[in-house]
Amino acid sequence: MAFVLKIDRVDEWWTRLEDFRVSEKVGFLVENSLDLLPEYLLPWEQLGKKAAKLMDAGELKDQVEKLPCLDYTHLRSYEEYCLAHSLLSTIAHCYVWQDRDKGVVPEVLPRAVAVPWYHVSQYLGLNPVYCYLACMLANWKKESEDSCDIELICGAPGTPHTDWFFIVSIQIEIDFGKGIKDIIKTYQALTTGDDNGLIEGLQGIADTIKRMQQTLSRMHEKQDPWPFYNKLRPFFEGWGAQSKFLPEGLIYEGVSDSPLQYLGGSAAQSSTIQTFDAILGVKHTAEAVPYLRKIREYMPAGHREFLNAIENGPSLRNHVRLSRDDGVRKAYNKCIQALTEFRSYHFTVTVKYVLLQSYKKNGKSSNNTDAQGAGGTYLVSFLKSTRDQTARCILGDRETGQMKWQADDMDLEGLKMKESSSLLHPGTNLIVKSKSDQEIFKEDH
Ligand code: HEM
């Protein structure tokens, strides 16, 4: 049984959010996430919750070998499927990567994990691999609705030194959720021709993106780059052509006799930023689009359909272009500015947590695949291109045709991004200014 959308008409998608599994309170997060499975499936729950610690102690593989083959149809609700996905994904990745440092990586995933993981993933419309739903969307709980403390259900390797990455990412999803009402307001106003409502909605969207960036900046408070890069990132890795250890893929025993290939987990699989792209009509380059499309296969089916529905619904950008109201254009441009700035800031975070760590560990070698990003993207050129394509969406003045940033946003100075941020190592200027990673590496040698 797979997750089936109840929706047949998507013209007014903003009136049907729950059909897409989008919550008006917490956005793409699983609203009533669970941390308990039905008693019959207790072995998954017990092993999943301690898998990271067992992996660190080198004891997880033995436990997996002893795991009974359980029937996934005992799962009763969407929320239980999400929790099961999170637990089985954690168990599977800990199993595959436990002895990676010794160069020992299994080519076959045992049936007791492979079969239910595959079916649970099918139900959710996901690939059976550790993805953003497993680590973030379904992996959180709060004491109460008002509580600020986010707890993780399933810790990952490096816990507690890597937990902050999850907490910040989940908080960014919560920030997005708080802005859902403005997205609804924007589209209601768009379809009723209410320009004042449209300006208010767009202002709310811009504020949401700024709030998300503010939260992203908190990554530096408690997330040390070393455990992020050396413990978490290897654990996120998938299998297939981009993999050093499993280039052929992984055999899922009881599912397929030939190896299956999947990308690893990445916060790029968050639907939040692609939602803003779809709403604002941001178009990416021919080089970036295949990856951005591909990672939709790693989003739950409802969220993927949600992005399709926005893209096939009324065009906000066309409406703004034709609008005679300068306030509408200004409000739209503020959203573009905020999204450009988010991407610009995210880029500096990536330099600190990935590129510089990679250089420390491997040197600036041209074979440095770590600098490619989790999905094998050429990290620098890719992230620069998504940012630059966003910046290009600024709409010019109707009268003069001139493009300009809003004067009241003093933190954004023209198209100059904060590339000189103190987060950047002096040597990274070269990286930032270059056209592609490969060119940088060639120049360096
Ligand atoms: C330590 C924190 C982070 C690091 C080191 C990081 C790193 C990266 C890297 C290397 C990529 C390239 C593509 C890939 O590897 O999949 C990427 C893409 C991306 N990341 Fe992050 N990321 C971080 C946090 C986040 C968070 C919290 C979000 C939440 C929204 C996010 C959203 C994205 C998006 C949407 C992309 C796709 C590119 C785009 O649309 O501009 N990242 N990130």
Side-chain angles (χ1 to χ4, degrees), residues 155-355:
T159 184
H161 307 289
T162 49
D163 291 357
W164 192 242
F165 170 70
F166 292 79
I167 306 265
V168 168
S169 304
I170 291 166
Q171 182 58 49
I172 289 176
E173 296 293 325
I174 293 176
D175 294 339
F176 174 86
K178 289 193 178 133
I180 288 277
K181 60 179 187 329
D182 294 305
I183 295 179
I184 298 172
K185 186 187 273 180
T186 299
Y187 278 88
Q188 275 169 347
L190 178 70
T191 44
T192 54
D194 165 14
D195 277 352
N196 287 338
L198 189 54
I199 293 169
E200 274 176 33
L202 287 169
Q203 183 59 55
I205 292 177
D207 289 345
T208 297
I209 302 171
K210 286 182 193 167
R211 204 163 46 236
M212 289 164 69
Q213 183 184 326
Q214 196 72 39
T215 302
L216 182 58
S217 75
R218 297 196 56 196
M219 193 66 81
H220 310 292
E221 280 177 22
K222 295 189 196 169
Q223 186 55 60
D224 181 342
W226 194 91
F228 174 84
Y229 185 79
N230 293 291
K231 299 290 275 183
L232 208 50
R233 255 177 88 81
F235 169 75
F236 274 15
E237 259 179 50
W239 21 90
Q242 82 286 356
S243 167
K244 181 171 141 200
F245 294 96
L246 292 166
E248 302 296 322
L250 179 70
I251 293 177
Y252 289 59
E253 192 184 21
V255 175
S256 163
D257 290 338
S258 42
L260 303 178
Q261 307 196 355
Y262 298 110
L263 295 179
S266 163
Q269 293 161 5
S270 164
S271 307
T272 57
I273 303 300
Q274 292 217 24
T275 296
F276 293 129
D277 281 346
I279 290 175
L280 300 170
V282 177
K283 300 275 180 266
H284 290 288
T285 60
E287 290 77 32
V289 166
Y291 178 67
L292 292 170
R293 285 273 151 192
K294 185 87 193 149
I295 55 177
R296 290 193 184 182
E297 292 166 22
Y298 297 77
M299 297 173 185
H303 301 173
R304 193 160 54 241
E305 290 303 327
F306 179 64
L307 293 172
N308 287 339
I310 302 174
E311 285 170 345
N312 294 321
S315 166
L316 171 73
R317 185 170 163 83
N318 275 350
H319 178 90
V320 177
R321 275 160 96 166
L322 298 173
S323 170
R324 304 208 153 264
D325 187 332
D326 261 0
V328 169
R329 182 172 302 238
K330 222 173 155 184
Y332 170 87
N333 281 347
K334 280 191 174 184
C335 294
I336 294 293
Q337 283 182 213
L339 191 56
T340 308
E341 179 71 358
F342 180 93
R343 284 194 153 117
S344 195
Y345 188 80
H346 168 268
F347 178 71
T348 65
V349 173
T350 307
V351 169
K352 173 179 168 183
Y353 284 91
V354 180
L355 272 186

Side-chain angles (χ1 to χ4, degrees), residues 29 139-143 147-152 166-172 174:
L29 290 169
N139 192 23
W140 73 296
K141 61 179 180 183
K142 273 183 166 196
E143 278 287 296
S147 153
C148 298
D149 293 335
I150 296 166
E151 279 178 56
L152 301 179
F166 292 79
I167 306 265
V168 168
S169 304
I170 291 166
Q171 182 58 49
I172 289 176
I174 293 176

